[in-house]
Amino acid sequence: EGYLDVYYYYAESQAVLKNYSDAIMYYEKYLDLLSKQEQQQEKDVTIIEYTAGFQQLVYSNLLRLYKEDKNYVKAIACVEQLTDKQLIKGNLQNIIYLHVALEKYKDLRNHYDQRVEEEDKGIFLDQLTKLLKEANDAEIKVAQVFCDLHNEYGLLCKVILEDRDGYISTSTQERVA
């Protein structure tokens, strides 16, 4: 089949050269080969593979490449594979963008609740706010999903929803004050 490192480094070089389809193909081959190696009963200990632990990095890179290629379904599948907290944090903007582009607002909220670290929640909400300024139609849908947060963002979502209805309730006005 080949050597794991070759597929990884070739994919990396193709990504740098902006040959995204080739980069995607070789990252996928890397993941396939890695999966097969993990399932093998006997390992070949004579071969040293330096990239054997790069699976999370590959998912992060694939997420970005699929997004660039506008293949949002495959990109969001990579999001689901990410478990490395630093890579999740580094991809917050992409993760938010993908969920909004695919109109997966409840999944976005679940991601916020379950996978965003407490210290990164402010960054997440800032990124979400910036994106929503560009996508007005999504603002109401996101506000509906996040309005029950007990923080400033939840209050903002409540104001957005009530303002849309033409009246801001007394309780919301008191919370703002």
Side-chain angles (χ1 to χ4, degrees):
E1 286 241 6
Y3 296 102
L4 197 60
D5 292 348
V6 172
Y7 290 113
Y8 176 82
Y9 288 118
Y10 192 72
E12 285 283 298
S13 66
Q14 293 306 300
V16 169
L17 294 171
K18 299 190 186 315
N19 296 330
Y20 299 137
S21 60
D22 284 348
I24 288 169
M25 180 177 64
Y26 285 99
Y27 276 135
E28 287 174 345
K29 284 184 179 184
Y30 167 89
L31 290 172
D32 183 54
L33 185 58
L34 183 63
S35 174
K36 287 177 182 175
Q37 284 183 355
E38 288 173 351
Q39 294 172 6
Q40 286 179 344
Q41 296 288 332
E42 293 182 26
K43 311 279 185 201
D44 185 352
V45 294
T46 62
I47 300 173
I48 298 173
E49 292 171 325
Y50 296 99
T51 63
F54 289 11
Q55 183 179 32
Q56 286 291 295
L57 186 57
V58 168
Y59 280 121
S60 176
N61 292 343
L62 275 172
L63 180 163
R64 292 178 180 135
L65 291 170
Y66 283 134
K67 178 183 174 250
E68 183 72 29
D69 202 33
K70 298 193 183 342
N71 191 339
Y72 300 147
V73 173
K74 284 192 173 184
I76 207 91
C78 291
V79 170
E80 299 307 318
Q81 296 298 319
L82 279 180
T83 57
D84 182 277
K85 292 175 174 114
Q86 284 303 112
L87 292 174
I88 291 171
K89 180 179 179 177
N91 276 294
L92 284 179
Q93 185 175 10
N94 290 326
I95 291 168
I96 293 166
Y97 177 88
L98 292 168
H99 282 88
V100 171
L102 292 171
E103 297 184 13
K104 293 182 169 274
Y105 305 111
K106 288 184 181 177
D107 290 346
L108 180 62
R109 174 61 190 269
N110 288 337
H111 184 87
Y112 171 83
D113 289 338
Q114 298 169 9
R115 301 184 70 203
V116 177
E117 295 293 310
E118 198 60 43
E119 64 268 13
D120 298 331
K121 290 194 185 257
I123 296 167
F124 179 96
L125 295 173
D126 287 342
Q127 292 291 329
L128 181 58
T129 303
K130 287 177 187 172
L131 179 67
L132 291 178
K133 285 180 182 177
E134 300 167 9
N136 290 333
D137 57 330
E139 183 178 48
I140 297 298
K141 294 175 183 175
V142 170
Q144 290 170 332
V145 176
F146 282 86
C147 68
D148 65 332
L149 286 179
H150 299 291
N151 61 19
E152 293 83 12
Y153 194 79
L155 179 58
L156 174 63
C157 290
K158 187 88 169 142
V159 169
I160 289 168
L161 292 174
E162 289 183 7
D163 185 49
R164 175 196 64 172
D165 297 332
Y167 176 75
I168 298 178
S169 70
T170 306
S171 64
T172 302
Q173 290 178 21
E174 289 172 358
R175 284 184 60 200
V176 169

